[in-house]
Amino acid sequence: NTQLNIKLHMQRQVYGLHAPMRTMMEVKSVQQTPSVLGSRAAQIQRDILLGKDESIDACDLFGDTSEVEISNVHTMLAARLNV
């Protein structure tokens, strides 16, 4: 979040007020667009706008774990093994 603020501040100093406003409008429109593919690949445009396309995080490798809710490991394994 701090990196985004610095990026927006630099854009404002170099290009004027319209540049950070345009960037934030693009980020907001990308976040409001529903993911048709339902995968991490559908959020590439958001990553590019936020400058996260040059790094690899754990969520890139393992997926977004914030949406996954594991309530009971034993129940999940039993369902997977059909026990």
Side-chain angles (χ1 to χ4, degrees), residues 22-36 40-50:
R22 179 179 175 185
T23 301
M24 290 308 297
M25 285 177 22
E26 288 176 352
V27 169
K28 193 170 189 174
S29 68
V30 168
Q31 288 176 342
Q32 289 177 350
T33 305
S35 174
V36 177
R40 179 86 175 122
Q43 295 298 325
I44 291 175
Q45 185 178 5
R46 181 182 56 89
D47 288 345
I48 292 171
L49 288 171
L50 296 178

Side-chain angles (χ1 to χ4, degrees), residues 42-61:
Q43 295 298 325
I44 291 175
Q45 185 178 5
R46 181 182 56 89
D47 288 345
I48 292 171
L49 288 171
L50 296 178
K52 295 181 180 180
D53 59 328
E54 298 175 354
S55 63
I56 298 176
D57 296 329
C59 63
D60 295 329
L61 299 174

